[in-house]
Amino acid sequence: MGMSVTISAATEDDAEHILKLQFLCYQSEAELYGDYGIEPLTQTLADLRRELAEGHALVARLGGEVVASVRGRVDDGGTASIAKLIVHPRMQRHGLGGRLLDAIEERFAGDARAERFRLFTGHRSESNLRLYRSRGYVPVATEQAGPRLTLVTLEKESSRGAYAASA
């Protein structure tokens, strides 16, 4: 491939592409847990558009194709929740997920409210857990989400939150 991947803010025009990619990317998670009713596979386009309007969202493009995405929002308690980090299966294992995670954290760094980052994944999603741990996230909670799925919540302090804690 002679093209490089670029990361930019998602627009409403990206919504359908993100939803299709999300559906493709979450097939492996659904298979892993034996549950094809997980929210990323049942989310509507209207719900996705609402998420895009209410928070931050980034896409990675290879040429004109959306090949990865991540989104999130900051709550009033200072938590920047990061969600639905997805990378097209043919683009996985090339560092794109880590680049997107770094980019969304950087985007949140511009928000004075963001004191910590939080995300979650399934307990059997080893590659996700490995990525998050490599970026400094630590498990802080688990929640039984179904008969075969335990969600692992991971957090890390933002540079702002770490500064506030040491002051």
Side-chain angles (χ1 to χ4, degrees):
M1 282 183 241
M3 294 182 274
S4 62
V5 174
T6 58
I7 296 174
S8 61
T11 68
E12 187 175 323
D13 291 341
D14 294 320
E16 287 185 52
H17 301 286
I18 293 169
L19 191 61
K20 288 176 185 175
L21 181 62
Q22 177 176 301
F23 189 81
L24 173 66
C25 292
Y26 275 93
Q27 294 297 314
S28 59
E29 291 292 301
E31 184 177 345
L32 182 61
Y33 297 103
D35 183 357
Y36 288 85
I38 59 177
E39 189 270 344
L41 295 181
T42 60
Q43 185 175 33
T44 67
L45 185 57
D47 287 341
L48 174 60
R49 283 193 169 122
R50 196 169 17 265
E51 274 186 20
L52 295 178
E54 293 174 353
H56 296 292
L58 301 175
V59 293
R61 287 183 172 76
L62 180 62
E65 179 188 5
V66 174
V67 294
S69 181
V70 64
R71 54 195 182 260
R73 60 188 299 172
V74 180
D75 67 22
D76 292 334
T79 300
S81 296
I82 299 170
K84 297 183 179 100
L85 174 60
I86 54 175
V87 177
H88 193 289
R90 77 172 188 275
M91 301 294 293
Q92 292 176 2
R93 308 250 187 275
H94 297 287
L96 187 51
R99 282 181 57 200
L100 264 179
L101 188 54
D102 293 344
I104 195 84
E105 287 177 5
E106 194 174 301
R107 179 67 53 103
F108 284 131
D111 189 322
R113 300 173 297 159
E115 296 176 10
R116 77 195 63 75
F117 303 115
R118 177 181 296 153
L119 44 75
F120 65 88
T121 192
H123 70 288
R124 286 189 229 152
S125 301
E126 286 301 324
S127 61
N128 295 348
L129 289 165
R130 195 170 29 257
L131 169 64
Y132 301 148
R133 287 181 178 130
S134 77
R135 292 300 200 271
Y137 287 83
V138 295
V140 295
T142 59
E143 175 189 346
Q144 193 71 35
R148 297 184 202 123
L149 172 61
T150 301
L151 293 177
V152 180
T153 300
L154 300 100
E155 287 186 358
K156 79 174 187 180
E157 293 295 315
S158 71
S159 55
R160 176 176 288 108
Y163 174 77
S166 67

